Amino acid sequence: MLSRVYSGAVYGVNAFPVEIEINCTKGDFRFVTVGLPDAAVKESKDRVWTALGNSGLKPKQLPHITINLAPADIKKEGPVYDLPIAVGLVEALGIEKFRDLSEFAMIGELALSGEVRRVQGVLPVTLAMRDQGKRGILVPADNAEEAAVAEGITVYPVRNLREAVDFLAGKYQLEPCHTDLRALINRNRKYTEDFSDVKGQETAKRAIEIAVSGGHNLLMIGSPGAGKTMLARRIPTILPEMTLEEALEATRIHSIAGTLKSHQALVVHRPFRSPHHTISDAGLLGGGTHPLPGEVSLAHRGVLFLDELPEFHRNALEVLRQPLEDGFVTISRAAATLDFPSKFMLVAAMNPCPCGYSGDPQRECRCSSQKIQAYRNKISGPLLDRIDLHIEVPPVKYAELSSLGRGETSEQIRARVVACRARQLERFKGTAVTCNADMTVRDISRFCHLRADAAELLKMAMSELNFSARAYNRIVKVARTIADMDQAEEITDQHISEAIQYRSLDRMMWV
């Protein structure tokens, strides 16, 4: 007897439908799987056959079984087909008579006991099945909230194989899982960190507010213990709150990577990714035989924090150029080329020298000038040019640390950031630009009008400080953001002066 069931497979950040055909005939017992299955899919026959027996669904006679996974020219990977294969076998073997299986899709891994275990990539598969016109999808109970994010398809959580079989046979009613997305976002928007916890560092906080207001990349330089990491971890708390579309984009990526927690429905906080400096370029960008998103994609719509920047492998840092410029990562393999979104704010931190105390008023630096130069030269000029603001983070004085007063809260700072971003969205209406950092050279000439005194100051700075052409564009973009914070239409010499201040490290520290 022939049975057809439906599932899906992840491909990049999307998914495509997979039709599973199961045919059972009389003859010597064989269990053959075709359609480019990987080792995990081939091993499913042992998991499925044992789960059927432990669920009271194993037939008395052992038939010849052939399973085809279509389309047959794309490799199928992972244990996600266990549940649909088992359900198809139950129908093909005549153990149960089901309702129309073409209305449903299924995904899930089976334990030997018949329990349905959580799997990766449930959200993109659910979205793909909805687009295929499926009425419902059966998913592991641990993935149900995640799948229910997809509107327009009914999500049925199943805990074990017997439950799924009885539901499809009309003997048992599964309660659909529903998720109120907007209520979920509003309920979980609170952060544990807050900028009011940071003592002192007013100059650094001002630079951070500018960076977030314009979507600019940021580099913090300071001695160990100055508070660079503390400041970085609080940056997501002042970013504009995620829209529903942004939350869905981020959730899709984390679903594929398997970083969603059990019963987590949606990524509601701006991602903050902080990979260790030993990470490879593949770990940072993504990759593998079947490519998965890397840290730059997991930070999509959030912050990628690179602490101890010069300690990262040179190759890992250089591969950041494409995502910083384009907002996506392209991974090429023999079979296909995949694009992973990677629109993030880069925040980096480093010591001024190998020992960390160059320029520190309290501690003496033990590094020679040659060692300091070699340490700083680990960061290439092209990468440095792509970081809009370079700021020094000095050690906090005792008087500031012991003060009982608290600074501005993240909510207060975020209110100004949101107002500044709103002005930018109004200015760029009708274009693909969403914030000042995204402006192209043509956009700069169109939207960044420099007053005469500002143009003269910038001309002098370019000549005396030996800035690159890319640095020129970065200065103008940052100045545009500072002007927006002041609600000014024209860029004045004060705005240019402050923007130049955040590029002065180009000459002081790397030349």
Side-chain angles (χ1 to χ4, degrees), residues 127 226 304 334 393 408 511:
L127 292 169
L304 177 66
V393 182
E408 282 188 304
V511 176

Side-chain angles (χ1 to χ4, degrees), residues 182-431:
R182 301 192 185 281
L184 184 67
I185 292 175
N186 293 331
R187 186 171 63 248
N188 293 283
R189 273 179 169 161
K190 292 184 179 179
Y191 288 89
T192 55
E193 294 96 357
D194 196 279
F195 262 98
S196 61
D197 302 328
V198 181
K199 300 292 183 69
Q201 302 295 7
E202 298 305 320
T203 301
K205 285 191 278 189
R206 163 72 177 176
I208 288 172
E209 184 178 343
I210 293 170
V212 174
S213 295
H216 304 290
N217 300 319
L218 173 71
L219 171 63
M220 295 182 286
I221 304 167
S223 303
K228 302 185 294 295
T229 302
M230 185 179 188
L231 287 164
R233 290 191 176 278
R234 282 155 179 76
I235 289 177
T237 69
I238 63 173
L239 281 165
E241 293 171 343
M242 292 185 82
T243 64
L244 179 57
E245 292 74 19
E246 290 174 336
L248 286 171
E249 287 178 16
T251 304
R252 185 193 292 251
I253 295 169
H254 285 258
S255 173
I256 293 166
T259 57
L260 289 179
K261 298 177 182 177
S262 180
H263 297 285
Q264 182 181 359
L266 200 65
V267 175
V268 294
H269 289 151
R270 296 277 179 185
F272 181 88
R273 303 295 298 184
S274 180
H276 193 261
H277 60 76
T278 56
I279 191 171
S280 66
D281 50 352
L284 201 57
L285 280 192
T289 305
H290 183 69
L292 291 175
E295 290 293 333
V296 296
S297 295
L298 293 172
H300 182 61
R301 300 298 182 185
V303 174
L304 177 66
F305 177 51
L306 302 183
D307 201 3
E308 305 295 343
L309 186 64
E311 301 300 332
F312 282 78
H313 299 300
R314 184 67 174 254
N315 287 345
L317 292 180
E318 293 308 307
V319 296
L320 286 174
R321 294 190 196 180
Q322 187 206 1
L324 286 174
E325 291 289 338
D326 302 333
F328 63 87
V329 169
T330 301
I331 299 177
S332 298
R333 292 291 182 269
T337 298
L338 302 176
D339 289 336
F340 290 108
S342 56
K343 185 70 178 175
F344 58 89
M345 177 181 173
L346 175 64
V347 179
M350 61 174 288
N351 296 330
C353 66
C355 78
Y357 296 106
S358 176
D360 191 297
Q362 307 294 330
R363 303 282 294 272
E364 182 180 356
C365 176
R366 304 187 302 272
C367 306
S368 66
S369 58
Q370 290 83 0
K371 284 186 177 180
I372 294 175
Q373 194 64 39
Y375 178 75
R376 295 169 180 171
N377 284 340
K378 289 181 179 180
I379 305 172
S380 69
L383 177 61
L384 190 65
D385 276 346
R386 287 171 170 82
I387 301 177
D388 302 358
L389 293 90
H390 318 146
I391 62 172
E392 291 184 272
V393 182
V396 182
K397 297 178 181 178
Y398 173 79
E400 294 174 324
L401 281 174
S402 59
S403 171
L404 297 178
R406 295 175 68 85
E408 282 188 304
T409 64
S410 292
E411 186 176 356
Q412 291 172 312
I413 301 172
R414 185 171 61 239
R416 295 197 297 270
V417 169
V418 170
C420 187
R421 288 282 185 107
R423 283 189 284 274
Q424 295 168 51
L425 288 173
E426 180 64 28
R427 178 189 303 122
F428 302 131
K429 187 180 295 183
T431 71

